[in-house]
Amino acid sequence: MQDHLKNLMRLVVEEVVATGEPVGSQHLVLKHGLDMSPATVRNWFATLDQEGYLTQPHASSGRVPTEKGYRFYLKELMEERGLKRRDQQDLESATDQFDQTADGLKRLTHAVSDLTDHAVIMVRRDGSVFSSGMARLFSQPEFFERDMVVSFGGMFDHVDEIMNQIMGQQFAEPTALIGDDCPFGKECGSVVLNLNDETLLSLVGPMRMDYGRSFALLRQIQDLIDQD
């Protein structure tokens, strides 16, 4: 992909992640001070549409990334961002004297959900599952439709089976599972990580979740636990 299209893809993904809304050409030009006209941006949008990276939900709306677009962003464009000092302090507090007890895992699950505004699911090798933040997940615009809520809610009736299936895999580094690869539903995104040999942590959100920050948070949690 040419550099100007890569830059446009990055801007679109990051705008959609932040707002949950389709991104228009004029908005991008004005907000980011792009040295080009909205008509030029629309032409580039058309190219990215044709190549399957962007789509237009409605005839009069802006663009949103497709699953292919998010995959390209994750592979080619995403950068992990440094965490704010407050985030680091909250993580240090949440992982202080981390243990494998039920209370310890519950505390960490709730703390991570508070930090990310995503659902957090944790499973131990013995099959115990801990979760937090489901209300946050259902408050996202992607889940406003009743059919989506019913489908996703039904999936969570079997979340222990899903998490135990994931537990059979190895995720030594933060790993994004999106769309058809996401065990929680193709409309979702997740970032998973083995905290140690006994525990797997998964963030679950809409496909437009902030992957750069999610990767950085999970990596920091892993580092803090390893230091204990």
Side-chain angles (χ1 to χ4, degrees):
M1 184 184 291
Q2 295 175 308
D3 287 345
H4 65 279
L5 294 179
K6 287 183 179 181
N7 185 53
L8 189 62
M9 273 298 304
R10 179 181 60 79
L11 293 176
V12 170
V13 171
E14 291 175 359
E15 283 290 317
V16 172
V17 165
T19 68
E21 299 292 335
V23 180
S25 56
Q26 186 170 5
H27 172 80
L28 285 183
V29 170
L30 293 176
K31 180 173 181 178
H32 298 280
L34 302 182
D35 187 20
M36 63 194 69
S37 69
T40 298
V41 174
R42 285 194 293 272
N43 288 335
W44 293 352
F45 276 169
T47 299
L48 292 168
D49 288 350
Q50 292 169 3
E51 295 179 0
Y53 294 102
L54 296 180
T55 187
Q56 191 173 21
H58 308 288
S60 60
S61 70
R63 264 58 172 193
V64 296
T66 61
E67 181 178 333
K68 181 180 178 180
Y70 280 113
R71 290 185 185 280
F72 181 81
Y73 175 81
L74 285 164
K75 182 178 180 181
E76 302 288 342
L77 305 174
M78 186 193 76
E79 296 180 357
E80 291 187 33
R81 301 196 307 276
L83 299 179
K84 296 179 181 179
R85 181 56 189 158
R86 177 60 183 272
D87 289 344
Q88 293 176 336
Q89 292 173 336
D90 288 344
L91 288 178
E92 289 168 4
S93 176
T95 56
D96 186 39
Q97 299 180 340
F98 173 77
D99 56 44
Q100 293 288 335
T101 65
D103 285 344
L105 293 174
K106 287 178 182 177
R107 285 197 302 271
L108 182 57
T109 301
H110 288 304
V112 176
S113 180
D114 288 342
L115 277 169
T116 61
D117 263 347
H118 293 317
V120 177
I121 307 172
M122 194 179 303
V123 62
R124 291 194 301 192
R125 194 165 295 281
D126 66 6
S128 301
V129 177
F130 307 90
S131 64
S132 181
M134 298 307 163
R136 288 186 171 94
L137 186 64
F138 288 126
S139 71
Q140 300 293 335
E142 288 85 348
F143 299 96
F144 285 174
E145 295 182 10
R146 180 182 180 279
D147 290 346
M148 181 76 74
V149 173
V150 171
S151 174
F152 201 71
M155 180 278 300
F156 266 99
D157 289 338
H158 307 284
V159 69
D160 53 343
E161 299 171 21
I162 293 170
M163 289 299 291
N164 281 306
Q165 289 173 2
I166 302 175
M167 191 68 180
Q169 306 176 50
Q170 288 297 316
F171 300 101
E173 295 286 327
T175 303
L177 303 175
I178 69 171
D180 289 337
D181 292 335
C182 182
F184 305 102
K186 65 180 182 179
E187 298 84 7
C188 297
S190 60
V191 178
V192 297
L193 175 69
N194 288 106
L195 297 181
N196 50 42
D197 291 339
E198 297 297 323
T199 309
L200 177 76
L201 177 63
S202 177
L203 306 182
V204 185
M207 197 182 299
R208 64 176 178 86
M209 65 190 298
D210 188 341
Y211 296 99
R213 184 169 184 268
S214 296
F215 274 49
L217 281 165
L218 291 195
R219 201 181 301 280
Q220 181 71 7
I221 292 170
Q222 187 179 50
D223 289 344
L224 289 168
I225 289 174
D226 288 345
Q227 292 171 14
D228 290 342

